[in-house]
Amino acid sequence: MKIAHAPVSSSEASTPASQTPYRTAFGILGVTSASHLLNDMIQSLMIAVYPIFKVGLHLSYWQIGFVTLAYQVTASLLQPLIGRYTDRRPQPYSLPLAMLFSFCGLFALSRAHGFLALIGAAMLVGVGSSVFHPETSRVARLASGGRHGLAQSIFQVGGNAGSAIGPLLAALIVVPNGQGSIVWFTIAALLAMILLWHVSWWYEDQIARRKRSRGATHASPLNMRVVAPVIGILMVLMFSKYFYTVSITNYLIFYLIEKFGISMRAAQLHLFMFLGAVALGTLFGGPLGDRIGRKAVIWFSILGAAPFTMILPDANLTVTTVLIVLIGLIVSSAFSAILVYAQELMPGRVGMVSGLFFGFAFGLGGIGAATLGWMADHFGIAAVYRLCAWLPLLGIVAVFLPRPATAVDSTRDR
């Protein structure tokens, strides 16, 4: 059965086409969030079992970082290109295809017995993500009913919840049963394919309805002298956020084991707590941006984490546990606000903007993983956290962001 779209009342139907309101389709947002959960659970599972690959395949920290680089760069390079193409020619049925790539990547991951095979498996998962994120982000905006921050937060919280669940499942299933048990998680990819097939039906119907009511629409030309500096500021903020975040997601397990001597399972549970806090922070960040303004949320989210990141390298285990939760809550609230801010800055280019920012995030994650892995090999894992503690201070550049409405009005060539 197809998922029904949000109904439009007779009063809505009589509204001029250019101003036709659409209600928030919470059912669709829930399904896209659930599929995002499954997609990102697969990604975080791959990262969480790095210690198994490191021991089993005799890998260095640099090689572990390079695996992440292969995955992230594959995703980041393709996403803006896919987003730009689908802005012009939406591809509803690319959604289940994305999860087919992830299915193949998981299967290859469970059978990888060498460094190159591991890289190939990671790249397959990366291709899946590159197709998944631009189109599902567009679906979330279509289903928003004008509540764009809320819609992106619902969509994003699924991904962050999946990222939190991955390490927990790794600790409970993969660690006791070995690398081969990763194949069991192909069931998650199959379930996501089923969910996304239904979303594709809804998406295709929405495209047809909007074409009938509005006719062909074209993105307005942009004044790049105005847009480019603002995008540059947002990219600096993304750099600060994701370089710090990757230091936690990739190396927290190793840091806790080395510094405090706790077990791998206990370290994975700490990573689960951090990623759970990230999911919770994401859920509140978007609606808060709708209410008080996206610039305020961006400002607080990145710069506000600085006091806690500065304390972390010298904290004991108990304080470290509290700090990683606080840092996860604060830092994670920015992404939905940044993404919607950029979408408002560049109207009519939802796919390209989503692909650019998701892709840039993945690319930063990959470069950060490789760079920080090299640092950990040469200077120790503790040095990584002492250096990264300063990154949130880059949030000060948010003061140069214009108000979103002003930015949107001035981006159109006159």
Side-chain angles (χ1 to χ4, degrees):
M1 179 182 296
K2 294 185 180 181
I3 299 176
H5 57 70
V8 180
S9 67
S10 57
S11 61
E12 289 171 339
S14 62
T15 307
S18 63
Q19 301 176 5
T20 302
Y22 290 87
R23 295 178 182 174
T24 304
F26 286 104
I28 293 298
L29 290 174
V31 175
T32 58
S33 184
S35 62
H36 201 184
L37 183 152
L38 294 169
N39 180 79
D40 285 22
M41 181 192 74
I42 291 169
Q43 299 171 39
S44 68
L45 175 76
M46 179 177 70
I47 293 172
V49 297
Y50 277 173
I52 292 177
F53 292 123
K54 188 176 189 297
V55 174
L57 302 180
H58 309 290
L59 304 179
S60 67
Y61 282 125
W62 180 87
Q63 287 174 309
I64 289 291
F66 194 84
V67 172
T68 302
L69 178 63
Y71 156 68
Q72 304 281 32
V73 169
T74 303
S76 66
L77 291 178
L78 290 177
Q79 283 201 50
L81 299 176
I82 291 172
R84 184 174 181 179
Y85 178 81
T86 56
D87 278 336
R88 301 174 180 177
R89 299 178 182 84
Q91 303 292 321
Y93 293 96
S94 66
L95 298 175
L97 177 64
M99 295 312 302
L100 179 60
F101 280 104
S102 296
F103 175 94
C104 295
L106 275 178
F107 185 82
L109 203 64
S110 70
R111 297 291 185 269
H113 296 299
F115 180 52
L116 293 180
L118 190 60
I119 290 175
M123 291 178 72
L124 281 172
V125 177
V127 172
S129 288
S130 71
V131 178
F132 174 85
H133 285 100
E135 283 295 78
T136 44
S137 184
R138 187 200 310 280
V139 169
R141 191 170 179 89
L142 281 174
S144 69
R147 301 164 74 180
H148 303 309
L150 172 66
Q152 285 298 327
S153 281
I154 292 174
F155 172 60
Q156 290 295 329
V157 78
N160 289 330
S163 295
I165 292 170
L168 183 63
L169 294 178
L172 296 176
I173 297 174
V174 183
V175 171
N177 296 287
Q179 178 183 346
S181 62
I182 295 173
V183 75
W184 300 346
F185 292 92
T186 56
I187 297 171
L190 287 173
L191 177 58
M193 289 172 67
I194 294 170
L195 292 175
L196 290 170
W197 192 267
H198 286 281
V199 171
S200 296
W201 285 339
W202 180 88
Y203 183 14
E204 185 177 47
D205 182 56
Q206 290 295 297
I207 292 170
R209 291 178 69 230
R210 281 163 168 77
K211 281 183 177 179
R212 288 195 298 269
S213 65
R214 299 183 180 182
T217 58
H218 301 282
S220 302
L222 299 177
N223 182 350
M224 293 308 298
R225 288 177 298 177
V226 175
V227 172
V230 181
I231 294 296
I233 293 169
L234 294 176
M235 292 300 184
V236 170
L237 295 171
M238 291 281 287
F239 167 80
S240 169
K241 169 182 165 57
Y242 277 94
F243 242 70
Y244 188 83
T245 301
V246 81
S247 75
I248 302 290
T249 56
N250 264 53
Y251 299 109
L252 181 67
I253 292 173
F254 300 110
Y255 174 74
L256 294 175
I257 292 173
E258 179 179 306
K259 184 172 182 178
F260 301 111
I262 63 177
S263 68
M264 184 187 299
R265 179 170 292 187
Q268 286 172 325
L269 291 175
H270 277 77
L271 180 58
F272 167 73
M273 285 188 285
F274 171 77
L275 294 173
V278 167
L280 188 60
T282 299
L283 183 61
F284 290 106
L288 195 61
D290 286 339
R291 183 175 294 272
I292 69 171
R294 311 198 200 287
K295 182 177 176 178
V297 172
I298 293 168
W299 175 272
F300 168 74
S301 175
I302 299 179
L303 190 60
F308 305 111
T309 63
M310 301 290 284
I311 296 170
L312 182 67
D314 298 308
N316 61 30
L317 180 59
T318 301
V319 175
T320 295
T321 303
V322 174
L323 289 174
I324 61 175
V325 171
L326 290 174
I327 292 167
L329 283 169
I330 296 171
V331 169
S332 61
S333 60
F335 186 75
S336 293
I338 290 173
L339 183 61
V340 176
Y341 186 104
Q343 289 173 346
E344 292 169 349
L345 182 72
M346 302 174 69
R349 295 164 175 83
V350 174
M352 187 183 75
V353 169
S354 300
L356 176 64
F357 278 84
F358 278 112
F360 188 65
F362 289 154
L364 284 175
I367 294 169
T371 303
L372 297 178
W374 179 87
M375 282 189 59
D377 280 334
H378 287 78
F379 304 106
I381 201 80
V384 169
Y385 286 91
R386 291 196 178 276
L387 177 65
C388 290
W390 297 89
L391 288 173
L393 293 178
L394 289 173
I396 193 71
V397 302
V399 73
F400 299 110
L401 289 174
R403 289 190 307 109
T406 302
V408 171
D409 291 341
S410 62
T411 57
R412 297 181 178 87
D413 285 329
R414 299 182 186 279

